[in-house]
Amino acid sequence: MADFPVGSGLGFAVLADGMGGHAAGDVASKIVVTEVFSELKMLSNDPEMLEENIQVALRQAVLGANFCVEQFAKQNPEASGMGATLVAPVLFDDRLYWISVGDSPLFLFRDGHLSQINENHSWAAKIDLMCSQGLIDRDEAARHPDRQCLTSALAGHEIPHMDCSETPLFLKCGDIVIAASDGLQFLADAQIEQILKDHSDRPSAEISAVLLRNLKDLDHPEQDNVSMCIIKMNQLGDTASIAAKPSSEPVAERRQEDEQRVKSLTVLVRKSKPSECTTYCVSQKERA
C-alpha cells in the first residue's frame, strides 16, 4: 500500500512479504501492511511532528503490527508459524527514512549505480561475509541451503533486528528508489542496475514493466512472489507519465505538467508469478 497525496510533501509505502505457508503468509502480510499503513496514515496529519519523531513512530507501528500477528496466531492455531517481512520507506520532500525487518530490499539507484540501503536480515548476509573472508568460495555461498533463512521477521514474538534509519537519506533529481519483496532478487543486482541504466529516463511504470519481463523471461522454477514500489525523483519541469502495463489488466493513468517538482510512483500488487502482477500507477507532484 502507498500514500503520496497530491500537494503534500509527505508520502510513504508499506510492503510486506508473508511466510509460514501460502494462506497464513498472506494473512500475516495483510495484517502487517494494514497496521503499519494505518498508523502512518493517522500520524500523517501532522508531518512536522511525524518527522521529528519518525524513528519512534516507525518502531511503534512495527511493534503494534507484530502484536496483531501474535494475537491472530493465538486465536487461529492453524496459522502457527505465520509471519512477514516488512519494508516501509517514508519520504518528506527529498528526505527518505525507512524501517525494515527481514530480507525485503530497499534499493537506491543513483548516478548509474545500484545499492541496497537497508539491512538484510537473513543468513545471506552472514554467508556473503564468510565468502569475503575466504571461509567458503563464491559458488558455495550462492548455493548455500540456509541462504534464504531469515534472522528477523514479524512473527508475533520478539523481533531480533529492525533497520530504522536515524537520519534521513537526502534524495536528488534522478534518484530511483525501489522497495521490493525478495522475489525481485531472482534478478542479479547487476542485471537490475543495467535495466535502470537503460531505462532511467522512462516513467516508473515502464521500468517496473521491464523488471517484470526480465523475471518472466528468467523462468526460474522457484520464482517467488513479487511486489515492488518504485519512486522516481524527476527534475523540475519534468513530466511524470504512466506508460504501458506489464499485463493485460487495466492501468490507472494520469499525466501532470507544470513547473513543480514531480515524483513518479509505481505500486505493484503481489500475485503468484511476475506475469500475473498488475501495475497500479499514480503520478504525484509537490511544490519545490
Side-chain angles (χ1 to χ4, degrees):
M1 297 178 71
D3 187 53
F4 283 76
V6 173
S8 171
L10 167 63
F12 57 89
V14 182
L15 185 152
D17 193 17
M19 49 181 276
H22 177 72
D26 190 51
V27 172
S29 63
K30 288 178 179 177
I31 290 173
V32 169
V33 167
T34 300
E35 293 299 320
V36 175
F37 183 90
S38 298
E39 183 69 14
L40 290 175
K41 185 64 176 176
M42 181 181 66
L43 297 173
S44 66
N45 291 328
D46 190 343
E48 282 191 25
M49 182 64 71
L50 177 57
E51 186 171 10
E52 288 177 6
N53 299 278
I54 187 63
Q55 192 175 38
V56 172
L58 289 172
R59 287 181 177 274
Q60 287 182 343
V62 168
L63 292 174
N66 191 54
F67 176 77
C68 290
V69 171
E70 177 187 17
Q71 294 305 303
F72 185 90
K74 284 182 177 179
Q75 296 168 17
N76 300 270
E78 70 279 6
S80 177
M82 70 187 296
T85 67
L86 168 76
V87 58
V90 182
L91 199 59
F92 297 88
D93 295 317
D94 60 348
R95 302 178 299 281
L96 175 66
Y97 302 84
W98 68 85
I99 191 165
S100 65
V101 179
D103 60 355
S104 293
L106 183 65
F107 288 118
L108 172 66
F109 179 75
R110 171 178 287 177
D111 299 330
H113 300 286
L114 183 76
S115 59
Q116 183 171 339
I117 57 177
N118 68 330
E119 296 174 357
N120 181 352
H121 300 144
S122 75
W123 274 96
K126 298 179 183 294
I127 292 167
D128 288 342
L129 178 61
M130 292 169 62
C131 180
S132 68
Q133 295 173 338
L135 300 176
I136 57 176
D137 62 37
R138 183 169 299 180
D139 289 341
E140 186 180 356
R143 299 193 307 269
H144 200 288
D146 295 333
R147 188 172 183 84
Q148 302 305 319
C149 292
L150 296 176
T151 58
S152 191
L154 281 77
H157 44 68
E158 182 179 356
I159 302 172
H161 309 289
M162 281 190 216
D163 181 16
C164 188
S165 55
E166 297 182 9
T167 57
L169 172 66
F170 285 86
L171 299 179
K172 60 182 184 178
C173 293
D175 284 351
I176 298 174
V177 176
I178 302 178
S181 65
D182 66 329
L184 178 62
Q185 293 179 296
F186 277 74
L187 298 177
D189 286 1
Q191 187 174 0
I192 298 172
E193 181 179 271
Q194 189 60 53
I195 290 170
L196 295 176
K197 283 181 181 178
D198 294 341
H199 301 275
S200 61
D201 61 337
R202 307 307 301 163
S204 53
E206 292 187 20
I207 295 171
S208 66
V210 175
L211 289 169
L212 285 175
R213 282 201 302 271
N214 276 264
L215 282 169
K216 183 179 179 181
D217 292 344
L218 188 63
D219 196 26
H220 196 289
E222 298 179 3
Q223 175 64 54
D224 199 359
N225 294 344
V226 180
S227 306
M228 71 178 81
C229 170
I230 297 177
I231 303 169
K232 183 178 179 183
M233 301 296 291
N234 293 334
Q235 297 179 6
L236 290 174
D238 272 1
T239 300
S241 60
I242 302 309
K245 58 189 182 304
S247 71
S248 60
E249 298 185 40
V251 175
E253 183 168 345
R254 197 185 207 171
R255 176 179 284 262
Q256 298 177 335
E257 291 185 77
D258 59 14
E259 296 181 356
Q260 297 176 331
R261 176 161 53 205
V262 179
K263 289 197 199 88
S264 176
L265 169 70
T266 297
V267 181
L268 294 184
V269 176
R270 179 164 50 88
K271 300 291 184 180
S272 58
K273 293 292 180 182
S275 59
E276 299 172 3
C277 283
T278 304
T279 308
Y280 294 90
C281 311
V282 295
S283 299
Q284 301 294 343
K285 63 183 179 182
E286 68 178 39
R287 298 191 180 276

